[in-house]
Amino acid sequence: MDQAPLTFALLDAHIEAMPEGPVATLNTPQWIRPWTLIGVVGAVLGLLPSLLIQWFAPAQWMVWMSKAGLIVMVIGFAPGFVRNVFVLWSEFRTHRQGLIAQVDHDVGEFRALATRLAAYPKGELEAQARAARMAYDRLGSRLIMLIGGVERLGLLPLLLSLFVVLRNWRDLLALPGWMSFFAIMAAILWVIGWVGAEFRRRLQFYGYLLDEALIVRSEQPSTASGLTTHRETGGPAN
């Protein structure tokens, strides 16, 4: 059977199929991400009326939007918050042993995947590795140009937005416009930085696996090369 072309889609499918390991609870599950985005949308909705009031006359719909945004924000962030508290509590005592076990598991899984990738031609592996590194650097440059170093602040921009909303939850329309603007932008920039950082991590992972595949390929004995050398020396070819 013909070998499937070495594409990043194929590589990503192999990565997603890998077992998560003994400390999989430390990885953010896929179902948490939509809820987190819902929470961010709720924070933006809750703050938006206090910004719109600078240009429009106060209206009852603004109050409803603020209250709805606050409710959506709490509902969106609640699952991730509860899960994180549970994970921190359950992993607190054995976090070191668990992390070591996870690293050992990952090394074995990465090596096994790299061994399968080593079946591809060397030139193809090198080209894909260069492409992954180029995409990693380009995405980093774009993120720096767009949001600066905000991705290094971690959850701070999001916590700032939450603080502004929760501190003034009784009357969100009374917030100063400049404070609402910066709180909304902080939440939006956090989402951009989060998505960009996640994709950069995956690109870095692509490059690592391809480099490992090249190392595995160089360690494997080349029967064809040995046969060619033997023929050139005049020995029997059988």
Side-chain angles (χ1 to χ4, degrees), residues 4 18 64 79 102 108 113 132 134 136 156-157 185 187 208 219-220:
M18 292 171 56
W64 292 339
Q102 182 67 42
L113 179 53
M134 180 192 68
Y136 176 85
L156 186 59
M185 290 305 299
Y208 165 77
E219 293 174 350
Q220 292 175 346

Side-chain angles (χ1 to χ4, degrees), residues 99-120:
L99 290 175
I100 292 174
Q102 182 67 42
V103 172
D104 288 336
H105 169 270
D106 290 344
V107 169
E109 292 295 330
F110 297 164
R111 189 70 175 182
L113 179 53
T115 302
R116 294 198 298 270
L117 294 174
Y120 287 90

Side-chain angles (χ1 to χ4, degrees), residues 12 15-17 20 24-38 76 79-80 83 194 198 201-202:
D12 198 76
I15 293 173
E16 290 297 323
E20 291 185 331
T25 54
L26 297 180
N27 301 324
T28 303
Q30 294 289 338
W31 64 269
I32 287 289
R33 297 178 182 180
W35 285 104
T36 302
L37 291 178
I38 290 173
R83 179 190 175 276
W194 173 45
E198 285 293 316
R201 288 176 60 233
R202 184 54 63 96

Side-chain angles (χ1 to χ4, degrees), residues 48 64 68-69 118 180:
L48 192 58
W64 292 339
S180 300

Side-chain angles (χ1 to χ4, degrees), residues 109-209:
E109 292 295 330
F110 297 164
R111 189 70 175 182
L113 179 53
T115 302
R116 294 198 298 270
L117 294 174
Y120 287 90
K122 178 181 178 181
E124 194 171 353
L125 291 171
E126 291 176 339
Q128 292 294 80
R130 290 193 300 268
R133 285 189 287 268
M134 180 192 68
Y136 176 85
D137 293 337
R138 290 184 64 190
L139 180 58
S141 300
R142 290 181 179 180
L143 287 175
I144 291 175
M145 182 180 299
L146 181 63
I147 60 177
V150 71
E151 75 279 1
R152 299 178 182 176
L153 298 178
L155 292 174
L156 186 59
L158 185 59
L159 293 176
L160 173 64
S161 300
L162 293 177
F163 173 77
V164 172
V165 174
L166 295 176
R167 186 174 182 272
N168 302 274
W169 69 273
R170 293 182 181 274
D171 190 6
L172 290 172
L173 297 183
L175 276 175
W178 65 268
M179 184 179 294
S180 300
F181 173 78
F182 282 113
I184 291 173
M185 290 305 299
I188 294 175
L189 290 176
W190 179 83
V191 172
I192 295 174
W194 173 45
V195 174
E198 285 293 316
F199 191 60
R200 285 195 83 201
R201 288 176 60 233
R202 184 54 63 96
L203 288 171
Q204 191 178 39
F205 194 18
Y206 293 157
Y208 165 77
L209 287 174

